[in-house]
Amino acid sequence: LPPPGCHYGRVLLKLSGEALQGSKGYGIDPAVIDTIAAEIADVSRLGVQLAVVIGGRRATRRSRALSAMSASGDTLTVAGA
């Protein structure tokens, strides 16, 4: 049963990696993390059980893209030699 005054007893919160960058447009903004952490703590104090999933797809895609660029750069170097 949900705690008194709450609609749900358990919540799954999915945060995108993009949401964590705030207005910077890259990385993780500590001010955004502080705000989200405070809000999660408030909900937890109500007695709601929380599970948090943080996405990292952009970081993974960036890593793969850099790896692919490096590989194609190596190929071009070998082809041009």
Side-chain angles (χ1 to χ4, degrees):
L1 289 173
C6 298
H7 292 285
Y8 302 101
R10 291 182 175 169
V11 174
L12 172 64
L13 176 64
K14 198 290 186 181
L15 301 170
S16 71
E18 230 172 42
L20 302 179
Q21 66 190 9
S23 60
K24 291 170 44 173
Y26 63 92
I28 296 175
D29 186 340
V32 171
I33 296 295
D34 288 343
T35 300
I36 292 170
E39 291 176 357
I40 289 171
D42 288 345
V43 172
S44 179
R45 277 189 217 99
L46 294 173
V48 175
Q49 296 177 356
L50 286 142
V52 180
V53 177
I54 299 174
R57 193 165 129 212
R58 287 184 63 144
T60 303
R61 281 189 290 171
R62 182 175 185 270
S63 174
R64 283 190 208 146
L66 291 175
S67 179
M69 284 191 295
S70 174
S72 48
D74 291 346
T75 303
L76 290 174
T77 303
V78 171

